[in-house]
Amino acid sequence: MTALKEKVARLRQAYAPHEHRPLGGYLAAMGTYAGVTAGIAGLVRATGRPVPERPAPADVVLLSIATHKLSRLLTKDAVTSPLRAPFTRYDKPIGSGEVMEQVRDQGSSTRHAIGELLSCPFCLAVWVATGFTGGLVLAPRLTRLVATALTAVAASDFLQMAYAVAQQAAEGGDHDED
């Protein structure tokens, strides 16, 4: 066992000699993802649900927008910060109800990897999309309903931002006339 630990330590040092990279935590995250994916596949097989040859384009668009919104909500929204707090540290607000957080470096490599996953919408999107895809096979009506709500919120976010930009432009136009 000592030889294996030494080999892993050498690998870690060779991979990132000047920076701490939680390779063990990344392995744990990948193993968990593989387990979740295998669990979903097992449920699909056990329930006998048919897997579509090709997902409908409308479902792909719906789940894409919902994945974006849920990933962003879980990784950046101020209200969901208690979920991330054990793994991240608050840094600053970044507007539109979102916050920037830093990954906690102390503690286990698994804690660090989870912190990276929970503070990166791009990273978490893989997990969210996998869940939605499994949901589309196992519970399509419920999955589409949840995805529709998240898609509506995403569209509302863009409309709120467009409104704010239009309002600023209108206010800026009033100041130019003075």
Side-chain angles (χ1 to χ4, degrees), residues 49-169:
R49 294 279 189 172
V51 177
E53 177 87 19
R54 283 187 201 103
D59 282 336
V60 174
V61 171
L62 181 67
L63 296 188
S64 297
I65 296 168
T67 294
H68 162 78
K69 184 58 196 172
L70 186 56
S71 299
R72 195 103 199 143
L73 181 73
L74 292 172
T75 60
K76 296 294 180 187
D77 198 275
V79 175
T80 57
S81 60
L83 302 175
R84 299 183 303 272
F87 309 99
T88 62
R89 181 168 285 108
Y90 173 82
D91 188 13
K92 62 185 176 186
I94 56 175
S96 301
E98 293 188 340
V99 296
M100 177 62 69
E101 294 167 331
Q102 300 301 318
V103 175
R104 291 186 188 209
D105 281 328
Q106 61 272 46
S108 73
S109 64
T110 301
R111 180 180 180 184
H112 183 105
I114 293 170
E116 286 190 23
L117 183 64
L118 293 179
S119 62
C120 172
F122 300 97
C123 306
L124 192 61
V126 174
W127 294 68
V128 170
T130 300
F132 276 137
T133 303
L136 195 57
V137 174
L138 293 167
R141 290 177 68 182
L142 179 60
T143 300
R144 285 186 186 104
L145 182 64
V146 170
T148 297
L150 289 164
T151 298
V153 173
S156 174
D157 289 349
F158 282 103
L159 290 172
Q160 296 289 357
M161 289 182 213
Y163 183 87
V165 167
Q167 190 175 32
Q168 286 176 344

